[in-house]
Amino acid sequence: MEIIRLCVISKGAEAIIFKELWYGIMVVRKVRIPKKYRSPMLDLVLRRQRTSLEAKLLIEAKSLGVPVPTVFEVDLDNTYILMEFIEGMRLRDFIPKMPLDERIKSFTQVGNSVGRLHAHGIVHGDLTTSNMILTSSGNVYLIDFGLGMFSSELEDRGVDIHLMLRALESTHAAYVEECFKAFLKGYESVMGVKETRKILNKVKEIRSRGRYVSERRVR
Amino acid sequence: MIVLGIESTAHTFGVGIADEEGRILANINAIYVPRGGGILPREAARHHFLVADKVLRRALKVANVKLRDLDAIAIALGPGMGPCLRVGALMARALAVKLNRPLVPVNHCVAHIEIARLTTQSQDPLVVYISGGNTIISAFAEGRYRIFGETLDIALGNFLDTLARELGLPQPGVPQVEALASKGTKIIELPYIVKGQDMSFSGLLTAALRKLKEGIRVEDLCLSVVEYAYAMLAEVAERALAHTRKKELVLTGGVARSKRLQEVLRQVAEEHDAVFKVVPDEYAGDNGAMIAWTGVLAFRHGITIPIEKSYVKQRWRLDEVEVPWRS
């Protein structure tokens, strides 16, 4: 048995993601690459911090029963994480092809997952539909905790939901309402009605805070 | 076609004159410098009132153009500070009435993008627009300049200017802070805040001021602050570049003059096989020429505004503006 690199899944701004066969298991190797545009000192600090944090978030999320990839190995010197490869479709590509009830089911699950994360002091930080993988069993996995953090601040939870809503608005304009409603249903089932309302008010406030936004004029 | 443009959104009162070929015939600007602290809108407006007449005359003289030669008057109606905006708007309306020429509304942020496109000869760039009032990463898509990232609180230029003031440095603060940063040797840990595609600089400012009180070496503080702030910006710009796949990266706005920021963004562009370009210094800060040139583009597409509807718009977002000349 050995490690066989199969392909590059993506070369993002921050990391290169490889698909590998690792002792017979299909895995993802996420390697954070050095950035020439920042000073080497800051660069290494950021890459280490982010690798370590991402691994901790994934492991914690897993322990909460949230569908996320299993972490197999973390290397802070070479700033990579080795984790389970999730076989499935990106929700982003699949949303328009889904029947309504499946869309609702998926987003209710996502809402439930995010609710569980929030309830246990984790925010994902990049809740776009590119970071949600629908498996053949109908489970939606959350991936890429690269911008996540440990926080129970109302503000951070609010930003999380705001980003989720904005991602829906920019990429899935036709389905925003039903998807977000389903999301909130799942979210509320964990966080409760009162807490959810509090967070939604925060989202409203965050949206009105941007510079020169129309919501701000209402005041 | 000759268009005269007036800029008065913040500290600069400027008059520019441009023609249809993209020639800038005049670009005369007077900048209000606060005696201490930040811009006081009413004082800035007073400054604009006092210089408006001189700036206009000088622009006409430099361009060798008579008032009657003008085909339209372009005015930056926003975004910006109300009292300042009203001075320019007042002059623009008066000229339009007196000369019986159409008034062309121009968005200040669109103008920063258009002058950069003109002067760097860019076609379809990802634009990084950094100034005292704005921190925006934008690209053209479906009829408008869409925002792919922005600050959630204070602008990058505002942040560095405020830090400079706290350090007792003269304004504008960015070159001062960078000069000190070049003598720094150590990078300390500060909050690095990127939320999705948006940045936050107010936490960085608070942390920096706290470190200052703790007695950290000023040069190291400046180095750390500049590296953190530019790294945050670079990260967001890089992601926007990867996402939009644009082949040009253009830096515009007052802070475009920063050599370190140019260097950082050039590396970002290189990593993604994009060409990096910077707006020339004279068109980096707020200026009348950019309003005149954007006025030409808009007027060519029949965009005018009746005098009685030409209200200033303090919060006129970049992505609210239709850009028919790019469609």
Side-chain angles (χ1 to χ4, degrees):
Chain A
M1 288 292 208
E2 54 188 335
I3 303 167
I4 305 164
R5 181 157 293 172
L6 300 172
C7 65
V8 174
I9 294 179
S10 80
K11 187 175 180 288
E14 200 193 1
I16 303 183
I17 296 170
F18 300 100
K19 188 177 176 181
E20 293 177 355
L21 197 58
W22 185 72
Y23 303 105
I25 308 171
M26 205 69 94
V27 298
V28 159
R29 185 190 295 266
K30 177 169 181 175
V31 188
R32 281 186 162 75
I33 43 183
K35 293 285 158 194
K36 271 181 271 168
Y37 59 71
R38 53 193 182 211
S39 85
M41 268 184 286
L42 175 59
D43 186 63
L44 189 61
V45 169
L46 283 176
R47 280 189 292 131
R48 272 201 187 137
Q49 272 177 2
R50 289 175 180 188
T51 304
S52 162
L53 180 62
E54 184 173 1
K56 284 181 195 154
L57 291 166
L58 282 167
I59 292 163
E60 181 73 18
K62 194 90 195 163
S63 77
L64 298 171
V66 176
V68 297
T70 306
V71 173
F72 296 135
E73 195 180 298
V74 183
D75 185 327
L76 293 185
D77 291 324
N78 300 301
T79 57
Y80 72 78
I81 299 175
L82 210 80
M83 61 188 123
E84 180 188 2
F85 176 79
I86 306 297
E87 190 77 58
M89 296 273 289
R90 287 201 308 179
L91 212 50
R92 180 199 165 106
D93 307 322
F94 208 58
I95 283 179
K97 297 174 213 149
M98 289 164 105
L100 176 69
D101 57 326
E102 269 186 45
R103 252 197 318 269
I104 288 175
K105 186 174 157 262
S106 291
F107 273 93
T108 311
Q109 194 196 359
V110 171
N112 182 283
S113 293
V114 175
R116 264 193 256 184
L117 294 176
H118 282 193
H120 292 86
I122 294 177
V123 292
H124 181 277
D126 194 13
L127 286 173
T128 68
T129 47
S130 303
N131 289 332
M132 298 166 191
I133 308 274
L134 180 66
T135 63
S136 54
S137 63
N139 256 334
V140 182
Y141 276 70
L142 295 182
I143 59 164
D144 196 354
F145 281 66
L147 289 171
M149 58 183 169
F150 287 102
S151 166
S152 299
E153 297 277 327
L154 184 59
E155 168 80 20
D156 296 325
R157 291 173 177 174
V159 170
D160 226 15
I161 306 291
H162 157 63
L163 292 173
M164 162 91 216
L165 183 53
R166 196 162 77 173
L168 286 176
E169 284 167 347
S170 62
T171 324
H172 312 285
Y175 311 105
V176 176
E177 225 166 291
E178 60 191 56
C179 290
F180 194 60
K181 217 175 126 190
F183 174 88
L184 285 180
K185 198 180 137 208
Y187 190 77
E188 212 177 76
S189 70
V190 184
M191 297 292 279
V193 180
K194 219 176 117 193
E195 197 60 24
T196 303
R197 195 176 303 141
K198 224 166 92 187
I199 290 161
L200 282 179
N201 281 334
K202 195 72 192 174
V203 171
K204 221 169 166 184
E205 191 222 303
I206 290 164
R207 301 198 136 211
S208 68
R209 214 187 285 156
R211 298 178 73 78
Y212 315 125
V213 294
S214 50
E215 283 97 332
R216 191 152 129 183
R217 287 194 195 121
V218 181
R219 275 203 305 204
Chain B
M1 184 204 296
I2 298 179
V3 175
L4 179 140
I6 301 174
E7 156 65 33
S8 76
T9 59
H11 51 42
T12 299
F13 185 88
V15 173
I17 300 174
D19 73 6
E20 207 169 349
E21 269 80 61
R23 277 186 295 244
I24 304 299
L25 308 176
N27 183 28
I28 306 298
N29 302 287
I31 301 173
Y32 153 79
V33 181
R35 262 168 285 167
I39 301 175
L40 295 169
R42 268 192 302 179
E43 255 196 43
R46 200 178 115 80
H47 161 270
H48 295 350
F49 264 117
L50 294 174
V51 299
D53 174 54
K54 264 181 274 174
V55 171
L56 173 67
R57 278 171 208 278
R58 180 103 188 103
L60 290 168
K61 194 168 169 223
V62 167
N64 196 17
V65 160
K66 296 270 177 284
L67 278 175
R68 62 169 181 276
D69 301 332
L70 302 173
D71 294 287
I73 307 298
I75 174 65
L77 285 180
M81 299 175 175
C84 303
L85 285 167
R86 283 181 202 104
V87 181
L90 185 65
M91 182 183 242
R93 289 179 202 125
L95 282 172
V97 170
K98 177 175 148 59
L99 304 169
N100 192 25
R101 294 290 191 276
L103 196 60
V104 180
V106 169
N107 177 289
H108 176 86
C109 306
V110 172
H112 270 293
I113 294 176
E114 290 304 344
I115 196 71
R117 280 213 310 134
L118 174 74
T119 54
T120 62
Q121 294 183 314
S122 305
Q123 297 305 311
D124 183 25
L126 179 78
V127 179
V128 178
Y129 163 32
I130 313 292
S131 66
N134 287 286
T135 305
I136 290 177
I137 288 154
S138 167
F140 182 81
E142 289 168 51
R144 295 184 188 191
Y145 285 111
R146 307 288 166 175
I147 296 174
F148 287 88
E150 63 185 321
T151 176
L152 287 168
D153 38 60
I154 55 175
L156 178 55
N158 187 359
F159 160 56
L160 291 177
D161 280 348
T162 308
L163 182 69
R165 274 202 297 277
E166 294 292 330
L167 293 171
L169 302 168
Q171 299 289 313
V174 180
Q176 304 282 341
V177 172
E178 282 192 1
L180 281 175
S182 69
K183 293 181 199 124
T185 51
K186 199 174 88 186
I187 291 180
I188 55 160
E189 207 176 316
L190 291 167
Y192 182 100
I193 307 166
V194 173
K195 296 179 178 182
Q197 275 293 92
D198 294 332
M199 299 148 272
S200 160
F201 296 107
S202 65
L204 190 50
L205 178 62
T206 309
L209 296 179
R210 196 179 300 135
K211 294 280 180 194
L212 192 64
K213 269 197 199 128
E214 287 168 12
I216 179 185
R217 204 173 147 245
V218 173
E219 289 82 355
D220 290 341
L221 181 71
C222 287
L223 175 64
S224 310
V225 156
V226 165
E227 288 302 317
Y228 266 79
Y230 293 175
M232 282 161 61
L233 186 68
E235 183 177 355
V236 174
E238 184 180 22
R239 259 191 258 140
L241 204 56
H243 178 75
T244 60
R245 299 201 174 120
K246 301 278 182 191
K247 286 292 148 217
E248 296 162 305
L249 178 65
V250 167
L251 177 59
T252 190
V255 187
R257 298 189 188 103
S258 156
K259 291 288 174 283
R260 177 62 188 143
L261 183 57
Q262 290 175 12
E263 196 185 333
V264 165
L265 291 177
R266 181 169 290 118
Q267 281 162 339
V268 170
E270 272 169 16
E271 281 194 29
H272 291 265
D273 301 317
V275 182
F276 177 68
K277 294 168 180 174
V278 189
V279 72
D281 278 6
E282 55 188 313
Y283 302 115
D286 294 353
N287 63 86
M290 67 182 195
I291 307 301
W293 169 238
T294 310
V296 169
L297 294 170
F299 187 49
R300 268 205 307 229
H301 279 79
I303 298 174
T304 60
I305 193 167
I307 305 269
E308 62 273 19
K309 284 188 182 157
S310 62
Y311 301 113
V312 301
K313 303 183 199 177
Q314 280 129 296
R315 300 196 176 103
W316 191 13
R317 257 179 92 80
L318 170 65
D319 56 4
E320 287 174 30
V321 186
E322 299 284 350
V323 184
W325 58 88
R326 293 276 323 257
S327 303

